[in-house]
Amino acid sequence: MKGFKKFHEFKIFMRVLSTGLVIAGYAFLGVWACNWLLNNGYPKFLAFLAIPVIAIFGMWQGWLYLNKRK
């Protein structure tokens, strides 16, 4: 039974780790989108607003993935 518990904990760890990587990817996408918007003449307010909006969307996606029943 100990082996199963360790495997279960490993699965949980990998799930949390992958969620963190997804959120980091969305944060990177937000910075990239901000830079693209600034380089193409969009207002600074809109460009800098893209970072938290995209990061919050990524956190929401991570939350949905972590709460998925399995």
Side-chain angles (χ1 to χ4, degrees), residues 14-67:
M14 292 307 292
R15 192 173 188 140
V16 170
L17 181 66
S18 64
T19 301
L21 290 173
V22 166
I23 293 170
Y26 274 104
F28 177 77
L29 177 65
V31 172
W32 181 85
C34 175
N35 189 37
W36 186 87
L37 290 169
L38 287 174
N39 288 337
N40 288 305
Y42 286 87
K44 285 185 179 181
F45 172 75
L46 181 65
F48 287 112
L49 186 63
I51 297 171
V53 167
I54 294 174
I56 289 170
F57 180 77
M59 285 187 258
W60 176 63
Q61 291 294 307
W63 179 258
L64 290 177
Y65 178 67
L66 285 176
N67 285 329

